[in-house]
Amino acid sequence: EIRKVVQALEQTAREILTLLQGVHQGPGFQHIPKKCQKAREHFSTVRTQMESLKTKFPTDQYYRFHEHWRFVLQRLVFLAAFVVYLESETLVTREAVAEILGIEADRERGFHLDIEDYLSGVLTLASELARLAVNSVTAGDYSRPLRISAFINELDSGFRLLNLKNDSLRKRYDGLKYDVKKIEEVVYDLSIRGLNKEATVGAGGEK
């Protein structure tokens, strides 16, 4: 029963991902608000599926079955974080993700978003933004990589404050330095071509 619901969640996650991948194509930049709105509609399906999942096992046995939905939950955290970033260029909080997914942020209250699942999803967001920085340049948007760079550096500083004991999370965090490097290279290329000045002027009143 759990597996069936998890498969349905994976399918919804794939649909949201396919939709959001469109932002990487040139014309996709003009359609970001529309794509985010559509993605949010898909999250209402996620909430319904989560409600169904909660009924499939006793509340106090969350960690006994956690492995079944851990991967899809991390994927959904990433997708929710990506939507929020595209809308406001801010980092989504764990509480806000839990609300988007229709689950609890607090362990004591039942089916919740584990802190490590939240952090894994956020690290996947960093890789996606590194890719977006590269594709922004291709699309002629030179100010976005500068904003992504500032965001990722702040994210990296936050992760440096954590004492990560979890092996898989630690490995994922090690990948963050490559994302930082990749974005720094994009920003460096823009600066040696003088395009970052153009971006700063062009981004005057723009967020």
Side-chain angles (χ1 to χ4, degrees):
E1 288 291 312
I2 289 173
R3 208 167 281 138
K4 267 186 208 158
V5 184
V6 168
Q7 281 169 352
L9 276 166
E10 284 168 348
Q11 180 55 37
T12 310
R14 276 194 293 273
E15 287 166 14
I16 299 171
L17 183 62
T18 304
L19 178 69
L20 293 177
Q21 287 303 297
V23 304
H24 290 288
Q25 271 84 52
F29 284 95
Q30 285 107 54
H31 306 304
I32 283 176
K34 201 181 283 182
K35 286 183 185 299
C36 289
Q37 192 185 338
K38 259 199 150 152
R40 283 195 177 266
E41 286 166 18
H42 280 294
F43 277 112
S44 65
T45 308
V46 169
R47 287 192 287 278
T48 307
Q49 289 163 340
M50 284 294 186
E51 282 306 318
S52 172
L53 185 56
K54 289 173 196 174
T55 65
K56 305 298 179 200
F57 65 97
T59 328
D60 58 353
Q61 292 187 20
Y62 177 91
Y63 284 104
R64 183 180 167 191
F65 299 105
H66 180 231
E67 278 303 311
H68 285 285
W69 58 75
R70 185 169 66 99
F71 178 76
V72 72
L73 197 53
Q74 290 174 4
R75 169 65 59 92
L76 288 164
V77 169
F78 149 61
L79 294 168
F82 194 28
V83 168
V84 169
Y85 180 83
L86 290 171
E87 288 172 343
S88 59
E89 297 193 359
T90 57
L91 176 63
V92 72
T93 63
R94 183 159 70 113
E95 290 71 22
V97 178
E99 198 178 317
I100 291 169
L101 303 182
I103 58 179
E104 301 294 339
D106 189 351
R107 183 177 176 168
E108 275 65 52
R109 297 178 67 176
F111 194 105
H112 64 285
L113 175 55
D114 186 77
I115 185 79
E116 286 174 357
D117 290 339
Y118 165 71
L119 293 173
S120 283
V122 167
L123 287 168
T124 307
L125 171 69
S127 301
E128 193 71 11
L129 291 181
R131 189 179 158 215
L132 189 65
V134 174
N135 291 329
S136 300
V137 177
T138 312
D141 183 345
Y142 304 131
S143 62
R144 193 179 293 269
L146 308 182
R147 302 197 304 272
I148 289 175
S149 178
F151 177 84
I152 294 290
N153 279 312
E154 213 172 312
L155 193 66
D156 185 43
S157 303
F159 268 95
R160 282 172 195 272
L161 299 174
L162 301 176
N163 179 18
L164 298 174
K165 295 193 177 93
N166 174 310
D167 286 347
S168 67
L169 195 57
R170 176 88 230 175
K171 276 184 200 132
R172 297 287 291 282
Y173 169 61
D174 288 342
L176 181 59
K177 57 174 173 277
Y178 297 109
D179 296 326
V180 170
K181 193 166 177 286
K182 193 173 175 182
I183 296 165
E184 279 173 354
E185 282 168 4
V186 172
V187 172
Y188 175 71
D189 280 351
L190 287 174
S191 68
I192 58 172
R193 290 173 192 180
L195 294 169
N196 61 339
K197 293 186 189 74
E198 192 182 307
T200 315
V201 174
E206 188 189 299
K207 170 72 181 134

